[in-house]
Amino acid sequence: MDAEYDVIVVGAGFGGPVAAKRCADAGLKTLLVERSGVPGEKVVSGLVIPIYGFLFGPEFIRDGNPPIQRPICSVVNRIVKDGKIFFTDHTLWVPKPITVGYSAYCKPFCTWLADRAVESGAELRTSTTAVDVIMDGGTIKGIVTDKGERLGSKVLIDSGGTQNQLSIKAGLREKFTPEAIELYMLWDFEMDKADVDRVFGNSMEFFHAMPEEKIGAPLGYGSTLYFFTYRESIHPGLGQFLVTRGETPNAAKLLREYFDNFTGTIERWKQDIAPKVKLRSVLWDVCPIYAGLLEETRGMPIYGDGMLIIGDAAGFEASAFGDGVPNAWFSADIAARVAIDAVKKGDSSKAALKAYKDDVKADPFITHTITDFRRWDMRRLLLTKDYSQFKRKIRDHWGIGAFRYSNMGGPCLKAMGRMMKDDPTVVASWLKMFTRYWKNWENNSFDRLSTD
Amino acid sequence: MARTSEELPGVEWVEGAGQFVTIDEAKCTACANCVRVCLGGCYELAGKKARIKSLDNCLECGACWYVCTDGAITFSWPPGGTGFRSDWG
Ligand SMILES: Cc1cc2nc3c(=O)[nH]c(=O)nc-3n(C[C@H](O)[C@H](O)[C@H](O)COP(=O)(O)OP(=O)(O)OC[C@H]3O[C@@H](n4cnc5c(N)ncnc54)[C@H](O)[C@@H]3O)c2cc1C
Ligand code: SF4
Ligand code: SF4
């Protein structure tokens, strides 16, 4: 071995730095490996991180000043029929400074997270790809980098994201089935802050439609075009599952065609938005949104001898909204706890690491959100052309119904109860977070990044 | 040294990525799934086989690898610090 570590974390996206910071805080010799030159510059996302991630995830994020783009207080759901907005649901909103989430660009946010890991004593190696795992019998003993270095670990944490390679090389997982994967294309537009404030305020806006409207991708239920709103930009996008009912759609053609159709027909775009925006970037990536719904992917191992798999690499993306950042944070926290315990006890065998699987199962959010059939079931409704049902489902799913106990209300109440029992003062931390984040946004002032 | 593309504004590619996606022609059944899902237009069908035209507009998403159920496509990461990057992801 060229070097030995207690813990090696692969991937400085959203989950990896959290695990690395925790391990470093516990005094473990920790290495965080990232293939991009700057953390987050290869991560492509929506992105509104839902509030449950901030409230119930790592306290250093809650109590810190990460670079957010815009506090989001409401979701405006529009249903399009015959090329026009036919119904708008405004039921999901909270009063400011409370929010339902915060939008963010991946590069500054992931850099901020990686900075926290480094501050705690983790070593960060950027521009380094982990190309293989080192195996000894069935035990994972470390990684091989693209520079040929062999780096040893007592516990390897794979947070490499959707296209995870290491856990496949380790023989633990197979690649996700394409039915589980959504291909999502997005367009980033510059827009003056005053215009975003006026046109969207602190809302994000979703356009839902039946397939024949051709504004959201037609298969795999994705008939929604999402507008994520940022500080001085907007980030619309739409997704398409790679395979639905055995068919691979011509996504390369459809996603662009549908976006063009939307911008060509919808008055809201043509009048309120188009005159004020300038295209800045076109991007895409895939996400394993239905991994938790399909038996073959949900059943794949998330740990092995000397290895733990977190976040997207483990298929922990929420199936209803496609949010994966909170689960990446929750699983990172759990993985770090288990890794610290294993290193301290000198036992990182599969039996010792089983606690990870048990704790993931007991987490109020992970299992609940990855096995949520609401969005999957919408596919059937889209074939019925029943607009009154459609309106009801939109309200139940993306509107006020999102707070219902059986939806996100239950897990949130459980997590709240658990945290308040441990420490009643957590309520004050939550309130402080809302006001501090809002003030930071108003002043456009966040922690300095190592890259500034 | 970073390259840009007019088709995909706001993205840069750092040289040195190499051929990190490859096709095993013997396994390719010419189903065209890869052509259909690649938003970078990296693939084409040539005769009875898929061919990678160029990875110049590749965003390393892996969609082609996922839809190739015949196992003809191998996908790996380019060397550290190479390949695409963006400030707007
Ligand atoms: C288009 C899109 C929209 C989305 N919208 C939302 C949203 O609105 N809200 C939300 O909460 N979630 C959203 N998600 C999901 C969210 O982005 C992911 O769930 C989250 O990024 C997962 O975190 P992670 O740490 O598991 O992986 P990632 O954040 O993807 O990080 C993986 C990191 O590992 C690095 N890496 C991978 N392999 C290696 C290797 N072998 N060696 C070195 N480095 C490696 C990568 O470069 C990357 O930096 C969206 C995803 C997509 C694709
Ligand atoms: S998806 Fe695979 S089998 Fe189908 S054309 Fe492409 S390379 Fe060939
Ligand atoms: S990884 Fe994505 S962008 Fe690159 S060739 Fe495959 S489908 Fe196209």
Side-chain angles (χ1 to χ4, degrees), chain A residues 35 41-42 106-107 129 146 162-163 165 175 235 248 251-252 256 281, chain B residues 9 36 39 60-61 65-66 77-78 80-82 84 86-88:
Chain A
R35 67 191 191 95
E41 69 180 0
K42 279 181 186 284
C106 297
K107 187 177 167 184
T129 304
D146 55 342
T162 308
Q163 305 84 345
Q165 306 285 312
K175 71 175 175 182
H235 215 65
T248 295
R256 287 184 174 91
S281 188
Chain B
R36 281 200 283 266
L39 294 170
E60 301 155 27
C61 71
W65 173 62
Y66 279 116
W77 295 126
T82 72
F84 97 101
S86 176
D87 288 345
W88 314 117

PDB file of all heavy atoms in Angstrom, chain A residues 35 41-42 106-107 129 146 162-163 165 175 235 248 251-252 256 281, chain B residues 9 36 39 60-61 65-66 77-78 80-82 84 86-88:
ATOM      1  N   ARG A  35     -13.089  12.890  -8.312  1.00  0.00           N
ATOM      2  CA  ARG A  35     -12.509  12.844  -9.653  1.00  0.00           C
ATOM      3  C   ARG A  35     -12.485  14.214 -10.334  1.00  0.00           C
ATOM      4  O   ARG A  35     -11.677  14.452 -11.221  1.00  0.00           O
ATOM      5  CB  ARG A  35     -13.250  11.810 -10.510  1.00  0.00           C
ATOM      6  CG  ARG A  35     -14.680  12.154 -10.844  1.00  0.00           C
ATOM      7  CD  ARG A  35     -15.420  10.981 -11.457  1.00  0.00           C
ATOM      8  NE  ARG A  35     -16.704  11.397 -11.996  1.00  0.00           N
ATOM      9  CZ  ARG A  35     -16.917  11.730 -13.260  1.00  0.00           C
ATOM     10  NH1 ARG A  35     -15.939  11.676 -14.122  1.00  0.00           N
ATOM     11  NH2 ARG A  35     -18.108  12.100 -13.664  1.00  0.00           N
ATOM     12  N   GLU A  41     -18.259  20.211  -9.479  1.00  0.00           N
ATOM     13  CA  GLU A  41     -18.321  20.726 -10.854  1.00  0.00           C
ATOM     14  C   GLU A  41     -18.710  19.633 -11.856  1.00  0.00           C
ATOM     15  O   GLU A  41     -18.903  19.922 -13.026  1.00  0.00           O
ATOM     16  CB  GLU A  41     -17.033  21.445 -11.262  1.00  0.00           C
ATOM     17  CG  GLU A  41     -15.834  20.563 -11.428  1.00  0.00           C
ATOM     18  CD  GLU A  41     -14.574  21.334 -11.830  1.00  0.00           C
ATOM     19  OE1 GLU A  41     -14.631  22.562 -11.989  1.00  0.00           O
ATOM     20  OE2 GLU A  41     -13.538  20.675 -11.985  1.00  0.00           O
ATOM     21  N   LYS A  42     -18.819  18.392 -11.390  1.00  0.00           N
ATOM     22  CA  LYS A  42     -19.355  17.337 -12.242  1.00  0.00           C
ATOM     23  C   LYS A  42     -20.714  16.854 -11.731  1.00  0.00           C
ATOM     24  O   LYS A  42     -21.233  15.845 -12.191  1.00  0.00           O
ATOM     25  CB  LYS A  42     -18.385  16.158 -12.307  1.00  0.00           C
ATOM     26  CG  LYS A  42     -17.222  16.360 -13.292  1.00  0.00           C
ATOM     27  CD  LYS A  42     -16.342  15.132 -13.309  1.00  0.00           C
ATOM     28  CE  LYS A  42     -15.092  15.301 -14.138  1.00  0.00           C
ATOM     29  NZ  LYS A  42     -15.331  15.230 -15.583  1.00  0.00           N
ATOM     30  N   CYS A 106     -24.642  23.126  -7.618  1.00  0.00           N
ATOM     31  CA  CYS A 106     -23.891  22.026  -7.001  1.00  0.00           C
ATOM     32  C   CYS A 106     -22.443  22.394  -6.684  1.00  0.00           C
ATOM     33  O   CYS A 106     -21.918  21.997  -5.648  1.00  0.00           O
ATOM     34  CB  CYS A 106     -23.901  20.799  -7.914  1.00  0.00           C
ATOM     35  SG  CYS A 106     -25.565  20.174  -8.172  1.00  0.00           S
ATOM     36  N   LYS A 107     -21.809  23.145  -7.598  1.00  0.00           N
ATOM     37  CA  LYS A 107     -20.370  23.383  -7.398  1.00  0.00           C
ATOM     38  C   LYS A 107     -20.092  24.136  -6.097  1.00  0.00           C
ATOM     39  O   LYS A 107     -19.326  23.637  -5.258  1.00  0.00           O
ATOM     40  CB  LYS A 107     -19.800  24.107  -8.606  1.00  0.00           C
ATOM     41  CG  LYS A 107     -18.285  24.248  -8.581  1.00  0.00           C
ATOM     42  CD  LYS A 107     -17.808  24.915  -9.857  1.00  0.00           C
ATOM     43  CE  LYS A 107     -16.373  25.352  -9.748  1.00  0.00           C
ATOM     44  NZ  LYS A 107     -15.956  26.084 -10.954  1.00  0.00           N
ATOM     45  N   THR A 129      -9.448   9.884  -9.686  1.00  0.00           N
ATOM     46  CA  THR A 129     -10.517   8.906  -9.877  1.00  0.00           C
ATOM     47  C   THR A 129     -10.129   7.596  -9.200  1.00  0.00           C
ATOM     48  O   THR A 129      -9.017   7.100  -9.415  1.00  0.00           O
ATOM     49  CB  THR A 129     -10.758   8.649 -11.382  1.00  0.00           C
ATOM     50  OG1 THR A 129     -11.029   9.890 -12.028  1.00  0.00           O
ATOM     51  CG2 THR A 129     -11.932   7.707 -11.608  1.00  0.00           C
ATOM     52  N   ASP A 146      -6.431   6.449 -10.355  1.00  0.00           N
ATOM     53  CA  ASP A 146      -6.021   6.507 -11.763  1.00  0.00           C
ATOM     54  C   ASP A 146      -4.529   6.785 -11.906  1.00  0.00           C
ATOM     55  O   ASP A 146      -3.974   6.638 -12.990  1.00  0.00           O
ATOM     56  CB  ASP A 146      -6.847   7.558 -12.527  1.00  0.00           C
ATOM     57  CG  ASP A 146      -6.783   8.930 -11.899  1.00  0.00           C
ATOM     58  OD1 ASP A 146      -6.404   9.041 -10.713  1.00  0.00           O
ATOM     59  OD2 ASP A 146      -7.099   9.907 -12.585  1.00  0.00           O
ATOM     60  N   THR A 162     -24.870   8.067  -8.952  1.00  0.00           N
ATOM     61  CA  THR A 162     -25.707   7.131  -9.708  1.00  0.00           C
ATOM     62  C   THR A 162     -24.914   6.102 -10.510  1.00  0.00           C
ATOM     63  O   THR A 162     -25.266   4.928 -10.536  1.00  0.00           O
ATOM     64  CB  THR A 162     -26.617   7.909 -10.679  1.00  0.00           C
ATOM     65  OG1 THR A 162     -27.308   8.912  -9.950  1.00  0.00           O
ATOM     66  CG2 THR A 162     -27.622   6.984 -11.340  1.00  0.00           C
ATOM     67  N   GLN A 163     -23.872   6.568 -11.188  1.00  0.00           N
ATOM     68  CA  GLN A 163     -23.151   5.652 -12.083  1.00  0.00           C
ATOM     69  C   GLN A 163     -22.078   4.915 -11.289  1.00  0.00           C
ATOM     70  O   GLN A 163     -20.930   4.820 -11.721  1.00  0.00           O
ATOM     71  CB  GLN A 163     -22.501   6.431 -13.236  1.00  0.00           C
ATOM     72  CG  GLN A 163     -23.438   7.299 -14.043  1.00  0.00           C
ATOM     73  CD  GLN A 163     -23.656   8.675 -13.406  1.00  0.00           C
ATOM     74  OE1 GLN A 163     -23.349   8.907 -12.255  1.00  0.00           O
ATOM     75  NE2 GLN A 163     -24.205   9.602 -14.165  1.00  0.00           N
ATOM     76  N   GLN A 165     -19.379   2.799  -9.788  1.00  0.00           N
ATOM     77  CA  GLN A 165     -18.523   1.794 -10.412  1.00  0.00           C
ATOM     78  C   GLN A 165     -17.882   0.900  -9.354  1.00  0.00           C
ATOM     79  O   GLN A 165     -17.692  -0.291  -9.567  1.00  0.00           O
ATOM     80  CB  GLN A 165     -17.396   2.482 -11.189  1.00  0.00           C
ATOM     81  CG  GLN A 165     -17.879   3.510 -12.202  1.00  0.00           C
ATOM     82  CD  GLN A 165     -18.463   2.857 -13.434  1.00  0.00           C
ATOM     83  OE1 GLN A 165     -17.862   1.955 -14.006  1.00  0.00           O
ATOM     84  NE2 GLN A 165     -19.642   3.280 -13.825  1.00  0.00           N
ATOM     85  N   LYS A 175     -25.203  -2.838 -12.128  1.00  0.00           N
ATOM     86  CA  LYS A 175     -25.697  -1.524 -12.534  1.00  0.00           C
ATOM     87  C   LYS A 175     -27.222  -1.520 -12.410  1.00  0.00           C
ATOM     88  O   LYS A 175     -27.862  -2.563 -12.542  1.00  0.00           O
ATOM     89  CB  LYS A 175     -25.218  -1.161 -13.939  1.00  0.00           C
ATOM     90  CG  LYS A 175     -25.832  -1.914 -15.086  1.00  0.00           C
ATOM     91  CD  LYS A 175     -25.327  -1.353 -16.437  1.00  0.00           C
ATOM     92  CE  LYS A 175     -25.865  -2.195 -17.578  1.00  0.00           C
ATOM     93  NZ  LYS A 175     -25.407  -1.783 -18.897  1.00  0.00           N
ATOM     94  N   HIS A 235     -33.902  27.580 -13.745  1.00  0.00           N
ATOM     95  CA  HIS A 235     -33.276  26.302 -14.054  1.00  0.00           C
ATOM     96  C   HIS A 235     -34.365  25.301 -14.467  1.00  0.00           C
ATOM     97  O   HIS A 235     -34.608  24.337 -13.743  1.00  0.00           O
ATOM     98  CB  HIS A 235     -32.617  25.847 -12.740  1.00  0.00           C
ATOM     99  CG  HIS A 235     -31.333  25.116 -12.862  1.00  0.00           C
ATOM    100  ND1 HIS A 235     -30.185  25.672 -13.353  1.00  0.00           N
ATOM    101  CD2 HIS A 235     -31.002  23.851 -12.511  1.00  0.00           C
ATOM    102  CE1 HIS A 235     -29.203  24.782 -13.302  1.00  0.00           C
ATOM    103  NE2 HIS A 235     -29.680  23.669 -12.786  1.00  0.00           N
ATOM    104  N   THR A 248     -37.480   1.878 -24.973  1.00  0.00           N
ATOM    105  CA  THR A 248     -36.535   2.986 -24.768  1.00  0.00           C
ATOM    106  C   THR A 248     -36.926   4.120 -25.708  1.00  0.00           C
ATOM    107  O   THR A 248     -36.838   3.977 -26.919  1.00  0.00           O
ATOM    108  CB  THR A 248     -35.090   2.537 -25.076  1.00  0.00           C
ATOM    109  OG1 THR A 248     -34.724   1.548 -24.129  1.00  0.00           O
ATOM    110  CG2 THR A 248     -34.110   3.693 -24.971  1.00  0.00           C
ATOM    111  N   ALA A 251     -35.168   9.730 -26.373  1.00  0.00           N
ATOM    112  CA  ALA A 251     -35.048  10.874 -25.461  1.00  0.00           C
ATOM    113  C   ALA A 251     -34.242  12.003 -26.085  1.00  0.00           C
ATOM    114  O   ALA A 251     -34.507  13.181 -25.854  1.00  0.00           O
ATOM    115  CB  ALA A 251     -34.404  10.428 -24.150  1.00  0.00           C
ATOM    116  N   ALA A 252     -33.239  11.626 -26.882  1.00  0.00           N
ATOM    117  CA  ALA A 252     -32.373  12.635 -27.484  1.00  0.00           C
ATOM    118  C   ALA A 252     -33.203  13.628 -28.287  1.00  0.00           C
ATOM    119  O   ALA A 252     -32.928  14.819 -28.314  1.00  0.00           O
ATOM    120  CB  ALA A 252     -31.331  11.966 -28.376  1.00  0.00           C
ATOM    121  N   ARG A 256     -35.688  17.696 -26.106  1.00  0.00           N
ATOM    122  CA  ARG A 256     -35.527  19.018 -26.737  1.00  0.00           C
ATOM    123  C   ARG A 256     -36.824  19.464 -27.394  1.00  0.00           C
ATOM    124  O   ARG A 256     -37.235  20.623 -27.289  1.00  0.00           O
ATOM    125  CB  ARG A 256     -34.412  18.976 -27.778  1.00  0.00           C
ATOM    126  CG  ARG A 256     -33.024  18.902 -27.164  1.00  0.00           C
ATOM    127  CD  ARG A 256     -31.949  18.970 -28.245  1.00  0.00           C
ATOM    128  NE  ARG A 256     -30.606  19.043 -27.681  1.00  0.00           N
ATOM    129  CZ  ARG A 256     -29.854  17.977 -27.418  1.00  0.00           C
ATOM    130  NH1 ARG A 256     -30.301  16.759 -27.642  1.00  0.00           N
ATOM    131  NH2 ARG A 256     -28.638  18.129 -26.921  1.00  0.00           N
ATOM    132  N   SER A 281     -26.664  27.782 -20.007  1.00  0.00           N
ATOM    133  CA  SER A 281     -26.077  26.445 -20.044  1.00  0.00           C
ATOM    134  C   SER A 281     -27.132  25.389 -20.362  1.00  0.00           C
ATOM    135  O   SER A 281     -28.317  25.583 -20.075  1.00  0.00           O
ATOM    136  CB  SER A 281     -25.417  26.125 -18.691  1.00  0.00           C
ATOM    137  OG  SER A 281     -24.684  24.923 -18.776  1.00  0.00           O
TER     138      SER A 281
ATOM    139  N   PRO B   9     -23.766  25.336 -24.277  1.00  0.00           N
ATOM    140  CA  PRO B   9     -23.137  26.459 -23.588  1.00  0.00           C
ATOM    141  C   PRO B   9     -22.969  26.156 -22.106  1.00  0.00           C
ATOM    142  O   PRO B   9     -23.684  25.320 -21.545  1.00  0.00           O
ATOM    143  CB  PRO B   9     -24.133  27.603 -23.808  1.00  0.00           C
ATOM    144  CG  PRO B   9     -25.423  26.955 -24.152  1.00  0.00           C
ATOM    145  CD  PRO B   9     -25.087  25.668 -24.824  1.00  0.00           C
ATOM    146  N   ARG B  36     -30.582   6.543 -29.144  1.00  0.00           N
ATOM    147  CA  ARG B  36     -31.814   7.220 -28.718  1.00  0.00           C
ATOM    148  C   ARG B  36     -31.658   8.006 -27.419  1.00  0.00           C
ATOM    149  O   ARG B  36     -32.303   9.028 -27.240  1.00  0.00           O
ATOM    150  CB  ARG B  36     -32.940   6.193 -28.539  1.00  0.00           C
ATOM    151  CG  ARG B  36     -33.567   5.762 -29.856  1.00  0.00           C
ATOM    152  CD  ARG B  36     -34.942   5.167 -29.627  1.00  0.00           C
ATOM    153  NE  ARG B  36     -34.835   3.810 -29.121  1.00  0.00           N
ATOM    154  CZ  ARG B  36     -34.858   2.730 -29.894  1.00  0.00           C
ATOM    155  NH1 ARG B  36     -34.982   2.856 -31.194  1.00  0.00           N
ATOM    156  NH2 ARG B  36     -34.755   1.533 -29.370  1.00  0.00           N
ATOM    157  N   LEU B  39     -27.980  12.355 -25.234  1.00  0.00           N
ATOM    158  CA  LEU B  39     -28.320  13.752 -25.513  1.00  0.00           C
ATOM    159  C   LEU B  39     -27.140  14.516 -26.095  1.00  0.00           C
ATOM    160  O   LEU B  39     -27.293  15.629 -26.596  1.00  0.00           O
ATOM    161  CB  LEU B  39     -28.814  14.439 -24.228  1.00  0.00           C
ATOM    162  CG  LEU B  39     -30.144  13.904 -23.683  1.00  0.00           C
ATOM    163  CD1 LEU B  39     -30.425  14.460 -22.296  1.00  0.00           C
ATOM    164  CD2 LEU B  39     -31.292  14.256 -24.605  1.00  0.00           C
ATOM    165  N   GLU B  60     -20.772  12.373 -19.486  1.00  0.00           N
ATOM    166  CA  GLU B  60     -20.446  11.261 -18.568  1.00  0.00           C
ATOM    167  C   GLU B  60     -21.657  10.822 -17.749  1.00  0.00           C
ATOM    168  O   GLU B  60     -21.536  10.524 -16.558  1.00  0.00           O
ATOM    169  CB  GLU B  60     -19.282  11.691 -17.642  1.00  0.00           C
ATOM    170  CG  GLU B  60     -18.027  12.063 -18.411  1.00  0.00           C
ATOM    171  CD  GLU B  60     -17.097  13.021 -17.679  1.00  0.00           C
ATOM    172  OE1 GLU B  60     -17.105  13.034 -16.440  1.00  0.00           O
ATOM    173  OE2 GLU B  60     -16.369  13.777 -18.352  1.00  0.00           O
ATOM    174  N   CYS B  61     -22.836  10.799 -18.404  1.00  0.00           N
ATOM    175  CA  CYS B  61     -24.054  10.487 -17.653  1.00  0.00           C
ATOM    176  C   CYS B  61     -24.287   8.985 -17.498  1.00  0.00           C
ATOM    177  O   CYS B  61     -24.999   8.564 -16.599  1.00  0.00           O
ATOM    178  CB  CYS B  61     -25.262  11.134 -18.323  1.00  0.00           C
ATOM    179  SG  CYS B  61     -25.737  10.367 -19.892  1.00  0.00           S
ATOM    180  N   TRP B  65     -24.791   3.366 -21.319  1.00  0.00           N
ATOM    181  CA  TRP B  65     -24.375   2.144 -20.626  1.00  0.00           C
ATOM    182  C   TRP B  65     -25.587   1.464 -19.979  1.00  0.00           C
ATOM    183  O   TRP B  65     -25.752   0.240 -20.047  1.00  0.00           O
ATOM    184  CB  TRP B  65     -23.320   2.565 -19.596  1.00  0.00           C
ATOM    185  CG  TRP B  65     -22.820   1.550 -18.640  1.00  0.00           C
ATOM    186  CD1 TRP B  65     -22.157   0.396 -18.931  1.00  0.00           C
ATOM    187  CD2 TRP B  65     -22.885   1.633 -17.204  1.00  0.00           C
ATOM    188  NE1 TRP B  65     -21.801  -0.240 -17.769  1.00  0.00           N
ATOM    189  CE2 TRP B  65     -22.227   0.495 -16.696  1.00  0.00           C
ATOM    190  CE3 TRP B  65     -23.417   2.565 -16.304  1.00  0.00           C
ATOM    191  CZ2 TRP B  65     -22.100   0.255 -15.327  1.00  0.00           C
ATOM    192  CZ3 TRP B  65     -23.285   2.323 -14.946  1.00  0.00           C
ATOM    193  CH2 TRP B  65     -22.639   1.184 -14.468  1.00  0.00           C
ATOM    194  N   TYR B  66     -26.480   2.267 -19.394  1.00  0.00           N
ATOM    195  CA  TYR B  66     -27.662   1.697 -18.758  1.00  0.00           C
ATOM    196  C   TYR B  66     -28.600   1.033 -19.752  1.00  0.00           C
ATOM    197  O   TYR B  66     -29.199   0.002 -19.461  1.00  0.00           O
ATOM    198  CB  TYR B  66     -28.433   2.777 -17.981  1.00  0.00           C
ATOM    199  CG  TYR B  66     -27.831   3.056 -16.631  1.00  0.00           C
ATOM    200  CD1 TYR B  66     -27.296   4.290 -16.330  1.00  0.00           C
ATOM    201  CD2 TYR B  66     -27.774   2.054 -15.665  1.00  0.00           C
ATOM    202  CE1 TYR B  66     -26.718   4.542 -15.091  1.00  0.00           C
ATOM    203  CE2 TYR B  66     -27.200   2.290 -14.437  1.00  0.00           C
ATOM    204  CZ  TYR B  66     -26.681   3.534 -14.148  1.00  0.00           C
ATOM    205  OH  TYR B  66     -26.113   3.762 -12.927  1.00  0.00           O
ATOM    206  N   TRP B  77     -14.959   5.948 -15.671  1.00  0.00           N
ATOM    207  CA  TRP B  77     -14.729   7.383 -15.502  1.00  0.00           C
ATOM    208  C   TRP B  77     -13.460   7.793 -16.221  1.00  0.00           C
ATOM    209  O   TRP B  77     -12.480   7.069 -16.203  1.00  0.00           O
ATOM    210  CB  TRP B  77     -14.596   7.756 -14.036  1.00  0.00           C
ATOM    211  CG  TRP B  77     -15.817   7.555 -13.200  1.00  0.00           C
ATOM    212  CD1 TRP B  77     -15.889   6.832 -12.049  1.00  0.00           C
ATOM    213  CD2 TRP B  77     -17.121   8.096 -13.417  1.00  0.00           C
ATOM    214  NE1 TRP B  77     -17.167   6.891 -11.542  1.00  0.00           N
ATOM    215  CE2 TRP B  77     -17.934   7.664 -12.366  1.00  0.00           C
ATOM    216  CE3 TRP B  77     -17.678   8.917 -14.413  1.00  0.00           C
ATOM    217  CZ2 TRP B  77     -19.278   8.013 -12.260  1.00  0.00           C
ATOM    218  CZ3 TRP B  77     -19.007   9.261 -14.317  1.00  0.00           C
ATOM    219  CH2 TRP B  77     -19.790   8.808 -13.247  1.00  0.00           C
ATOM    220  N   PRO B  78     -13.451   8.979 -16.828  1.00  0.00           N
ATOM    221  CA  PRO B  78     -12.187   9.488 -17.359  1.00  0.00           C
ATOM    222  C   PRO B  78     -11.208   9.768 -16.213  1.00  0.00           C
ATOM    223  O   PRO B  78     -11.634   9.887 -15.055  1.00  0.00           O
ATOM    224  CB  PRO B  78     -12.595  10.786 -18.071  1.00  0.00           C
ATOM    225  CG  PRO B  78     -13.930  11.142 -17.557  1.00  0.00           C
ATOM    226  CD  PRO B  78     -14.569   9.893 -17.049  1.00  0.00           C
ATOM    227  N   GLY B  80      -8.918  11.459 -13.418  1.00  0.00           N
ATOM    228  CA  GLY B  80      -9.235  12.591 -12.544  1.00  0.00           C
ATOM    229  C   GLY B  80      -8.847  13.918 -13.174  1.00  0.00           C
ATOM    230  O   GLY B  80      -7.795  14.041 -13.795  1.00  0.00           O
ATOM    231  N   GLY B  81      -9.734  14.903 -13.034  1.00  0.00           N
ATOM    232  CA  GLY B  81      -9.444  16.251 -13.521  1.00  0.00           C
ATOM    233  C   GLY B  81      -9.678  16.441 -15.014  1.00  0.00           C
ATOM    234  O   GLY B  81      -9.509  17.545 -15.522  1.00  0.00           O
ATOM    235  N   THR B  82     -10.082  15.383 -15.733  1.00  0.00           N
ATOM    236  CA  THR B  82     -10.361  15.531 -17.161  1.00  0.00           C
ATOM    237  C   THR B  82     -11.865  15.383 -17.403  1.00  0.00           C
ATOM    238  O   THR B  82     -12.611  15.039 -16.502  1.00  0.00           O
ATOM    239  CB  THR B  82      -9.624  14.465 -18.008  1.00  0.00           C
ATOM    240  OG1 THR B  82     -10.244  13.191 -17.791  1.00  0.00           O
ATOM    241  CG2 THR B  82      -8.146  14.380 -17.644  1.00  0.00           C
ATOM    242  N   PHE B  84     -15.806  16.596 -18.644  1.00  0.00           N
ATOM    243  CA  PHE B  84     -16.654  17.797 -18.560  1.00  0.00           C
ATOM    244  C   PHE B  84     -16.632  18.435 -17.167  1.00  0.00           C
ATOM    245  O   PHE B  84     -16.339  17.780 -16.175  1.00  0.00           O
ATOM    246  CB  PHE B  84     -18.094  17.462 -18.971  1.00  0.00           C
ATOM    247  CG  PHE B  84     -19.012  17.178 -17.815  1.00  0.00           C
ATOM    248  CD1 PHE B  84     -19.892  18.140 -17.355  1.00  0.00           C
ATOM    249  CD2 PHE B  84     -18.986  15.950 -17.172  1.00  0.00           C
ATOM    250  CE1 PHE B  84     -20.740  17.895 -16.272  1.00  0.00           C
ATOM    251  CE2 PHE B  84     -19.822  15.689 -16.092  1.00  0.00           C
ATOM    252  CZ  PHE B  84     -20.702  16.674 -15.650  1.00  0.00           C
ATOM    253  N   SER B  86     -18.833  22.034 -15.158  1.00  0.00           N
ATOM    254  CA  SER B  86     -19.720  23.176 -15.345  1.00  0.00           C
ATOM    255  C   SER B  86     -19.936  23.896 -14.021  1.00  0.00           C
ATOM    256  O   SER B  86     -19.928  23.277 -12.953  1.00  0.00           O
ATOM    257  CB  SER B  86     -21.072  22.717 -15.899  1.00  0.00           C
ATOM    258  OG  SER B  86     -21.944  23.826 -15.988  1.00  0.00           O
ATOM    259  N   ASP B  87     -20.145  25.197 -14.110  1.00  0.00           N
ATOM    260  CA  ASP B  87     -20.498  25.979 -12.920  1.00  0.00           C
ATOM    261  C   ASP B  87     -22.006  25.958 -12.677  1.00  0.00           C
ATOM    262  O   ASP B  87     -22.468  26.464 -11.660  1.00  0.00           O
ATOM    263  CB  ASP B  87     -20.096  27.450 -13.112  1.00  0.00           C
ATOM    264  CG  ASP B  87     -18.590  27.644 -13.051  1.00  0.00           C
ATOM    265  OD1 ASP B  87     -17.895  26.718 -12.581  1.00  0.00           O
ATOM    266  OD2 ASP B  87     -18.114  28.717 -13.482  1.00  0.00           O
ATOM    267  N   TRP B  88     -22.778  25.411 -13.643  1.00  0.00           N
ATOM    268  CA  TRP B  88     -24.238  25.620 -13.608  1.00  0.00           C
ATOM    269  C   TRP B  88     -25.037  24.351 -13.358  1.00  0.00           C
ATOM    270  O   TRP B  88     -26.218  24.303 -13.645  1.00  0.00           O
ATOM    271  CB  TRP B  88     -24.685  26.312 -14.914  1.00  0.00           C
ATOM    272  CG  TRP B  88     -23.781  27.459 -15.258  1.00  0.00           C
ATOM    273  CD1 TRP B  88     -22.986  27.579 -16.360  1.00  0.00           C
ATOM    274  CD2 TRP B  88     -23.540  28.631 -14.467  1.00  0.00           C
ATOM    275  NE1 TRP B  88     -22.269  28.753 -16.307  1.00  0.00           N
ATOM    276  CE2 TRP B  88     -22.596  29.414 -15.159  1.00  0.00           C
ATOM    277  CE3 TRP B  88     -24.029  29.094 -13.244  1.00  0.00           C
ATOM    278  CZ2 TRP B  88     -22.126  30.636 -14.663  1.00  0.00           C
ATOM    279  CZ3 TRP B  88     -23.555  30.307 -12.753  1.00  0.00           C
ATOM    280  CH2 TRP B  88     -22.624  31.057 -13.461  1.00  0.00           C
TER     281      TRP B  88
END
